[in-house]
């Protein structure tokens, strides 16, 4: 189980860091190929032409990247330096925000991260964390919980959220 998880996280990180849909098996340590075969047998991974591996669904990759972010919670700002521009990390960052908000005491950690990424010139990460409650299954209750934070400073964060929501959470009317 640990080897499979480590392999999945490594593959997900390689995909996001390389901005690639599939990763060459040549980039994979030979000792972890049994984990790759096990994940392929369970239909979590797909073997692509040219000896490349990818996840059977984007959600598996997003979940693996979420686990990476959880493992780097203490040094998240450093870890995301240089990675935050890859769109493949964006859903995982949103999921991380949702994870924080749904945990007991996680709102304080969410607020602290929002502040940390505001000052670390990683505003895209802050924006993705800001979007998290709107993308959650229980969006209403989570938005109520963070509403005082959104209204602080003349509602600057609420305005930012609504602007981003109009750009990223809507579907064009054909």
């Amino acid at each position: 189980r640990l080897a499979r998880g480590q392999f999945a996280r490594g593959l997900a990180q390689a995909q996001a860091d390389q901005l690639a849909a599939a990763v060459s098996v040549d980039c994979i340590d030979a000792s972890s190929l049994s984990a790759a075969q096990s994940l392929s047998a369970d239909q979590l991974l797909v073997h692509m032409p040219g000896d490349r591996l990818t996840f059977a669904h984007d959600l598996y990759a997003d979940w693996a990247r979420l686990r990476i972010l959880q493992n780097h919670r203490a040094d998240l700002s450093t870890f995301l330096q240089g990675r935050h521009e890859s769109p493949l990390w964006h859903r995982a960052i949103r999921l991380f925000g949702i994870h924080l908000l749904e945990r007991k005491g996680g709102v304080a950690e969410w607020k602290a991260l929002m502040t940390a990424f505001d000052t670390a010139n990683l505003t895209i990460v802050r924006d993705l964390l800001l979007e998290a409650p709107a993308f959650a299954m229980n969006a209403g209750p989570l938005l109520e919980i963070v509403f005082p934070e959104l209204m602080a400073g003349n509602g600057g964060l609420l305005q930012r959220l609504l602007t981003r929501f109009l750009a990223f959470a809507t579907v064009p009317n054909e």
Side-chain angles (χ1 to χ4, degrees):
R1 181 177 73 102
L2 293 175
R4 286 168 45 112
Q6 183 182 34
F7 178 83
R9 290 188 304 275
L11 179 62
Q13 182 172 336
Q15 277 183 315
D17 289 351
Q18 297 172 19
L19 200 56
V23 175
S24 172
V25 294
D26 294 337
C27 298
I28 298 167
D29 184 9
S31 65
S32 64
L33 287 178
S34 63
Q37 290 172 333
S38 173
L39 290 167
S40 293
D42 289 342
Q43 298 180 355
L44 298 174
L45 294 182
V46 176
H47 187 229
M48 306 291 287
D51 286 335
R52 299 178 71 74
L53 287 174
T54 189
F55 287 92
H57 197 285
D58 290 343
L59 289 176
Y60 300 140
D62 294 336
W63 177 84
R65 284 188 280 273
L66 167 63
R67 300 290 297 166
I68 293 168
L69 295 178
Q70 289 170 331
N71 291 340
H72 284 277
R73 183 175 293 163
D75 66 334
L76 197 57
S77 180
T78 303
F79 179 77
L80 287 175
Q81 201 72 29
R83 290 185 167 97
H84 65 282
E85 294 177 3
S86 170
L88 295 177
W89 282 106
H90 291 183
R91 282 187 299 219
I93 294 168
R94 263 193 225 107
L95 288 171
F96 185 67
I98 293 168
H99 168 75
L100 291 177
L101 291 169
E102 290 179 339
R103 298 180 36 227
K104 183 176 176 110
V107 174
E109 192 173 353
W110 178 82
K111 288 179 186 179
L113 279 177
M114 292 283 292
T115 302
F117 286 115
D118 189 29
T119 59
N121 278 341
L122 296 171
T123 54
I124 185 66
V125 176
R126 186 199 60 178
D127 288 345
L128 293 164
L129 291 170
L130 179 62
E131 294 171 3
F135 280 88
M137 291 286 293
N138 54 343
L142 289 181
L143 285 167
E144 285 180 24
I145 290 170
V146 299
F147 189 73
E149 183 70 20
L150 298 177
M151 291 305 296
N154 293 324
L157 285 178
L158 179 61
Q159 290 174 331
R160 181 77 177 169
L161 173 63
L162 292 175
T163 301
R164 291 196 52 85
F165 190 75
L166 286 173
F168 295 107
T170 59
V171 177
N173 184 351
E174 296 177 13

